[in-house]
Amino acid sequence: MDQHQSDQWAICPKAFQECLQNNDVIIDVREQWEHEEEAVVDRNIPLPEIPGKIAVLEPFKKEKIILHCQSGKRSHQGCKYLRKLGFEMVYHLDGGLMAYKNYLNKA
């Protein structure tokens, strides 16, 4: 099993849907062109740009933050990075948008 699929900071597609409905802070960490092709949320900070955007994220440090990407790998990396910086309520979508779209197709 891939490491990103078994960690305590992963949320399932159903929980992601609830976060969308609750207007939680959700950030797409895919590249800008990927986000432009298919956006689920407005916020887009590509994974390589996160270190330079900490000041932008700082106001959300005490709030629930959900990261997502296409497959879950980049969002897992971003989650680990932000948690090391003290963002205690950051999570990632397990399986990424692929899993979320699969969930929607079955619902």
Side-chain angles (χ1 to χ4, degrees):
M1 180 181 292
D2 287 347
Q3 179 181 352
H4 76 280
Q5 293 177 341
S6 62
D7 70 83
Q8 71 268 24
W9 306 319
I11 64 165
C12 68
K14 181 179 180 182
F16 182 74
Q17 179 71 33
E18 292 168 6
C19 292
L20 285 169
Q21 293 168 345
N22 294 338
N23 293 316
D24 288 330
V25 177
I26 301 175
I27 302 170
D28 182 348
V29 297
R30 297 176 300 159
E31 295 298 324
Q32 184 176 351
W33 66 268
E34 292 175 282
H35 178 76
E36 290 170 357
E37 282 184 0
E38 180 180 34
V40 176
V41 294
D42 292 337
R43 290 183 183 93
N44 174 231
I45 303 175
L47 180 63
E49 296 178 21
I50 288 178
K53 301 284 186 174
I54 297 304
V56 173
L57 296 170
E58 194 69 33
F60 305 109
K61 196 168 191 173
K62 300 291 183 197
E63 295 182 42
K64 185 177 187 180
I65 300 173
I66 311 299
L67 305 181
H68 84 79
C69 62
Q70 190 64 26
S71 69
K73 292 180 182 177
R74 288 176 281 181
S75 59
H76 181 250
Q77 291 173 346
C79 182
K80 287 194 317 187
Y81 178 77
L82 289 174
R83 282 192 171 261
K84 285 180 183 175
L85 296 179
F87 287 79
E88 296 176 5
M89 294 182 58
V90 63
Y91 302 90
H92 68 95
L93 174 58
D94 190 23
L97 285 183
M98 292 186 309
Y100 181 61
K101 288 188 283 188
N102 189 38
Y103 164 76
L104 291 178
N105 288 335
K106 290 181 178 179

